[in-house]
C-alpha cells in the first residue's frame, strides 16, 4: 500500500509518440509503441492486482486487459479489471470474457480508491485513457509513471494527458526512479521512462 494513505499503490502507464499523442486524428492507435514495449507492459500487468480504464477506452479500444507472455500465453496471475465512468457498456466486451471485472459508475477518483480498498487491491495500474490518467495525476495520486515513448511524430490527435495547468509553476514534476534498475530503458526502438513524482511545493 502507498505510505501516505490507506490506498493502493498507483501506477500510471502512458504509451505515446514523441509529441505526446496516443492516436491519430482518425482515432487509429495500433500500434504506436513497439512489440518490446507491449511485452514489457504485459509483464507489468502481471505484477499488479487490478487495471483501471475509462469507459471510452473499454468501448473504443475493446481491450482484454489480460497479462500475456511474449508467446501470447496468459500469465498465471491475472489482474482484476475495473472500468471507470457512467457510460453504458455494450455486451460482448473483450474484458468481460472473465468474471473478474466490474464497472464503477463514477468520475471521482476517490470513489475508485474506496472500491479498490474494499476489494483488497494493493497495486492499481491506470491504463487509460487520457481523462482517467489525468484525473489521478491531477489529484497527486500517481505513485509512479511508466512512459513508453515511440520515435514518431503524429502532429495531431489525442494527448496522453490533459491537465488543468495554466502556468508552469502548476506543472507536475518527476524524476527517474533511481531505486529501479529500469529507470531509463530501450525497448526495441522505443524508450521507456520509469518515473517517480517530486514533492509538490
Amino acid at each position: 500500500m502507498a505510505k501516505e494513505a490507506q490506498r493502493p499503490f498507483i501506477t500510471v502507464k502512458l504509451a505515446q509518440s514523441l509529441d505526446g499523442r496516443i492516436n491519430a486524428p482518425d482515432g487509429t492507435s495500433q500500434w504506436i509503441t513497439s512489440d518490446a514495449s507491449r511485452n514489457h507492459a504485459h509483464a507489468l500487468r502481471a505484477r499488479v492486482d487490478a487495471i483501471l480504464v475509462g469507459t471510452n477506452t473499454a468501448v473504443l479500444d475493446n481491450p482484454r486487459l489480460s497479462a500475456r507472455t511474449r508467446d501470447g500465453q496468459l500469465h498465471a496471475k491475472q489482474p482484476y479489471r475495473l472500468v471507470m465512468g457512467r457510460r453504458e457498456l455494450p455486451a460482448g466486451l473483450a474484458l468481460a470474457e472473465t468474471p473478474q471485472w466490474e464497472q464503477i459508475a463514477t468520475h471521482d477518483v476517490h470513489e475508485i480508491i474506496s472500491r479498490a480498498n474494499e476489494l483488497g487491491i494493493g497495486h492499481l495500474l491506470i491504463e487509460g485513457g487520457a481523462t482517467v490518467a489525468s484525473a489521478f495525476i491531477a489529484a497527486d495520486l500517481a505513485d509512479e509513471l511508466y512512459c513508453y515513448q515511440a520515435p514518431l511524430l503524429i502532429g495531431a490527435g489525442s494527448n496522453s494527458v490533459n491537465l488543468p495547468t495554466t502556468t508552469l509553476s502548476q506543472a507536475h514534476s518527476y524524476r527517474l526512479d533511481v531505486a529501479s534498475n529500469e529507470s531509463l530503458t530501450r525497448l526495441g526502438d522505443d524508450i521507456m521512462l520509469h518515473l517517480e513524482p517530486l514533492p509538490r511545493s
Side-chain angles (χ1 to χ4, degrees), residues 10-16 22 52-55 57 84 107 109 125-146 159-164 172 174:
I10 296 174
T11 299
V12 174
K13 190 200 91 176
L14 306 173
Q16 61 185 34
I22 57 174
L52 176 73
V53 297
T55 52
T57 296
M84 175 182 180
H107 296 139
V109 294
L125 173 62
I126 313 299
E127 282 223 2
T131 300
V132 174
S134 299
F136 280 85
I137 293 171
D140 291 324
L141 291 170
D143 298 303
E144 66 177 359
L145 296 181
Y146 277 91
N159 294 324
S160 61
V161 292
N162 297 294
L163 297 170
H172 293 251
Y174 296 85

Side-chain angles (χ1 to χ4, degrees), residues 98-114:
T98 171
Q100 300 300 310
W101 80 281
E102 65 182 83
Q103 179 179 4
I104 306 173
T106 185
H107 296 139
D108 185 337
V109 294
H110 299 288
E111 290 184 31
I112 298 295
I113 289 171
S114 177

Side-chain angles (χ1 to χ4, degrees), residues 44-126:
L44 177 60
R45 285 179 177 181
R47 299 202 302 265
V48 305
D49 299 311
I51 299 176
L52 176 73
V53 297
T55 52
N56 283 348
T57 296
V59 173
L60 298 178
D61 292 351
N62 196 22
R64 289 187 178 86
L65 301 181
S66 57
R68 298 186 295 277
T69 64
R70 291 177 183 272
D71 59 1
Q73 301 300 308
L74 291 175
H75 278 280
K77 180 185 176 185
Q78 290 296 311
Y80 195 79
R81 286 81 157 175
L82 295 171
V83 182
M84 175 182 180
R86 299 190 181 96
R87 177 179 178 178
E88 185 175 353
L89 298 177
L93 287 178
L95 62 82
E97 293 173 0
T98 171
Q100 300 300 310
W101 80 281
E102 65 182 83
Q103 179 179 4
I104 306 173
T106 185
H107 296 139
D108 185 337
V109 294
H110 299 288
E111 290 184 31
I112 298 295
I113 289 171
S114 177
R115 179 58 181 151
N117 285 338
E118 290 174 358
L119 292 167
I121 292 167
H123 191 174
L124 177 63
L125 173 62
I126 313 299

Side-chain angles (χ1 to χ4, degrees), residues 139-194:
D140 291 324
L141 291 170
D143 298 303
E144 66 177 359
L145 296 181
Y146 277 91
C147 181
Y148 301 86
Q149 191 89 40
L152 75 161
L153 294 167
I154 299 176
S158 302
N159 294 324
S160 61
V161 292
N162 297 294
L163 297 170
T165 303
T166 58
T167 184
L168 192 58
S169 63
Q170 296 174 341
H172 293 251
S173 298
Y174 296 85
R175 64 188 173 199
L176 293 176
D177 188 343
V178 295
S180 170
N181 61 4
E182 55 175 16
S183 58
L184 178 60
T185 305
R186 180 172 177 175
L187 295 170
D189 290 330
D190 299 345
I191 296 295
M192 186 202 71
L193 302 172
H194 182 199

Side-chain angles (χ1 to χ4, degrees), residues 30-43 68-70 148 150 187-190:
Q30 296 182 338
W31 295 101
I32 287 177
T33 54
S34 67
D35 286 343
S37 287
R38 294 193 296 278
N39 286 334
H40 186 279
H42 275 282
R68 298 186 295 277
T69 64
R70 291 177 183 272
Y148 301 86
L187 295 170
D189 290 330
D190 299 345

